[in-house]
Amino acid sequence: MATGIYKHLVLPLLDRLDSETWHERVRHGLHTVEQVPLGPEFLEILAWKGRRVVDPRLKVSLAGVQLENPLIVGAGWDKSGISIRALYALGFASVEVGTVTPRPQPGNPRPRQFVLSSGVVINRLGFNNPGADAVAANLESYKSDNIPVGISIGKNKDDPEDRAPLAYAEVARKLYPYGSYFVINVSSPNTPGLRSLQRKEALLSIAQSVLDVMDSYGARKPLFIKIAPELSYQEVDEILDVVLQLGLAGVVATNTVALGDVKARYGEGWRLQPGGLSGDDEVFRHMSTSKVAYIYSQTKGSIDIIGVGGVKDAHTALEKILAGATAVQVVTAIRSEGLAVAARTNLGLLEWLDKNGVKSISNVVGARYEDFLDTK
Ligand SMILES: Cc1cc2nc3c(=O)[nH]c(=O)nc-3n(C[C@H](O)[C@H](O)[C@H](O)COP(=O)(O)O)c2cc1C
């Protein structure tokens, strides 16, 4: 009922607004609500009849980080880390904050986020964020909440490629105390040259520099590499070489897609629009799921995979999990499905477990990866 009202009455109005403005208002609204007494409890009512969906069958261990359920808010939704308690109250197990760059950065000129159809978005934000010091100050206020926080690390637009390892290391050094796990983002299409850092040599030195920072703190935390959906399987193999060689935790698959052919599915005018497409697009969703399946086929559980791209409900979350993802992330669907998306997805996962007589969601990670391999 509430979902119907949201989708048929509220969403058509939101879709007319500037997408980024809506997002900013919701994020700041959640920030305000989470700070007032009983605010998080109010959000739990909003999400699902006054309770978080908590069930031992949904628990997963992501590279040793214990998550109450497999759903994480993906990078880009709360870039500066101001609504973590609220997103947790809404049913997510974790929030990946960022992408954070060493220094503050305004990002590209507005408008830079476009709704192509309900649930499908192009963004070219360009790592707008307040910088590592400000994000550290924000995250300080969540330290006693014990909510697992992921931190996505990037570089400033004007950091040249040969300075990239230093830039990633600087963010890691400033944010190390606040993250349960870290992600090296080398796959955003909106920072010129960033995707070339997915090459083996460049990636090895970036990852090594972040590991050196962790070593200087005395303990390594799980470190993931986030990849683009356009990579060939051969290019994915190179990334896996880096992950295995350095003993990293795993891969986040995938970032947004920048292919004109995918954008043009919404009208020829979008083909050349700069930016990455995300959300409820079948072609994009399958591109990212096939990367999850491929990585699983090559590693069979020896590393962890976070699946992201078009997750909006239990069906699409399960697709990623069956393909090999230990946890999944949601970004675009938080707008199109509404703030109850995590609660509904978790309930749907529980229903599926019941129906199929499966004891725990972690038992089916990768159980059907072959079905999702792109054989073309
Ligand atoms: C508005 C917006 C901003 C994003 N910003 C980032 C970012 O800063 N860092 C990053 O790694 N991914 C970023 N992404 C990509 C998402 O984390 C995710 O990989 C992608 O959107 C696919 O997931 P979805 O279909 O659930 O949106 C962003 C996506 C959107 C829509």
Side-chain angles (χ1 to χ4, degrees):
M1 170 76 168
T3 313
I5 292 174
Y6 180 80
K7 282 205 163 175
H8 298 295
L9 292 176
V10 181
L11 197 58
L13 293 175
L14 291 180
D15 282 347
R16 288 189 193 180
L17 283 180
D18 171 53
S19 171
E20 189 177 352
T21 307
W22 174 87
H23 180 189
E24 282 306 291
R25 284 189 191 152
V26 173
R27 209 163 61 93
H28 284 99
L30 290 179
H31 176 65
T32 306
V33 175
E34 73 173 21
Q35 295 188 86
V36 300
L38 297 181
E41 287 78 2
F42 167 73
L43 290 170
E44 287 182 24
I45 292 171
L46 200 70
W48 195 260
K49 299 178 183 167
R51 61 185 169 89
R52 273 176 60 77
V53 179
V54 178
D55 190 298
R57 290 172 296 167
L58 291 176
K59 286 189 178 169
V60 297
S61 170
L62 178 71
V65 179
Q66 303 306 315
L67 301 181
E68 266 184 33
N69 64 65
L71 303 184
I72 301 174
V73 178
W77 206 90
D78 187 5
K79 284 178 186 270
S80 51
I82 61 162
S83 56
I84 293 170
R85 209 172 296 127
L87 291 163
Y88 179 81
L90 290 169
F92 289 98
S94 171
V95 179
E96 187 178 315
V97 167
T99 295
V100 186
T101 57
R103 285 158 283 115
Q105 184 166 276
N108 291 320
R110 291 187 185 217
R112 52 193 182 177
Q113 193 171 309
F114 310 90
V115 179
L116 274 52
S117 94
S118 221
V120 181
V121 161
I122 286 182
N123 94 80
R124 55 162 175 272
L125 297 177
F127 288 172
N128 55 315
N129 81 106
D133 287 322
V135 174
N138 292 343
L139 295 180
E140 185 67 33
S141 63
Y142 293 105
K143 270 187 113 176
S144 58
D145 288 290
N146 289 322
I147 298 170
V149 170
I151 294 177
S152 169
I153 320 176
K155 71 172 192 69
N156 286 98
K157 189 178 173 182
D158 57 5
D159 284 325
E161 187 174 326
D162 60 356
R163 231 194 72 87
L166 288 175
Y168 283 81
E170 185 179 341
V171 181
R173 184 168 49 74
K174 289 182 172 166
L175 297 180
Y176 176 90
Y178 307 102
S180 304
Y181 63 95
F182 288 78
V183 180
I184 292 176
N185 178 10
V186 278
S187 49
S188 163
N190 303 313
T191 295
L194 192 85
R195 284 184 164 191
S196 67
L197 301 178
Q198 292 176 114
R199 286 190 335 267
K200 190 171 174 180
E201 291 313 312
L203 200 50
L204 268 173
S205 56
I206 292 172
Q208 187 59 56
S209 70
V210 173
L211 290 176
D212 290 345
V213 168
M214 293 182 171
D215 288 342
S216 74
Y217 274 97
R220 289 188 177 182
K221 291 184 176 179
L223 181 59
F224 291 81
I225 311 281
K226 184 165 179 180
I227 65 168
E230 290 96 331
L231 292 187
S232 65
Y233 284 162
Q234 200 183 341
E235 289 167 321
V236 174
D237 284 340
E238 293 208 358
I239 299 215
L240 292 180
D241 282 348
V242 174
V243 170
L244 297 172
Q245 191 176 324
L246 297 181
L248 307 185
V251 177
V252 182
T254 66
N255 216 309
T256 56
V257 64
L259 290 178
D261 280 351
V262 183
K263 297 176 194 171
R265 284 160 50 79
Y266 300 89
E268 204 42 47
W270 293 111
R271 182 183 291 278
L272 298 178
Q273 184 73 242
L277 178 144
S278 61
D280 191 16
D281 175 85
E282 213 177 307
V283 174
F284 167 58
R285 197 175 88 234
H286 286 300
M287 281 176 86
S288 82
T289 308
S290 68
K291 290 296 176 302
V292 172
Y294 180 73
I295 296 165
Y296 189 83
S297 75
Q298 300 301 96
T299 55
K300 298 274 171 50
S302 64
I303 63 168
D304 277 312
I305 306 166
I306 300 177
V308 49
V311 174
K312 61 168 189 169
D313 53 18
H315 170 75
T316 46
L318 265 168
E319 195 177 82
K320 294 275 194 282
I321 293 167
L322 293 170
T326 299
V328 300
Q329 294 183 333
V330 186
V331 180
T332 306
I334 298 176
R335 173 200 176 96
S336 53
E337 298 297 312
L339 294 175
V341 62
R344 274 204 312 275
T345 303
N346 278 325
L347 284 170
L349 291 177
L350 285 172
E351 258 172 45
W352 185 87
L353 291 176
D354 279 343
K355 213 156 97 191
N356 291 278
V358 178
K359 287 208 172 72
S360 162
I361 196 72
S362 58
N363 290 351
V364 292
V365 171
R368 286 202 358 229
Y369 75 88
E370 281 160 329
D371 296 354
F372 301 101
L373 286 171
D374 187 356
T375 47
K376 272 175 277 167

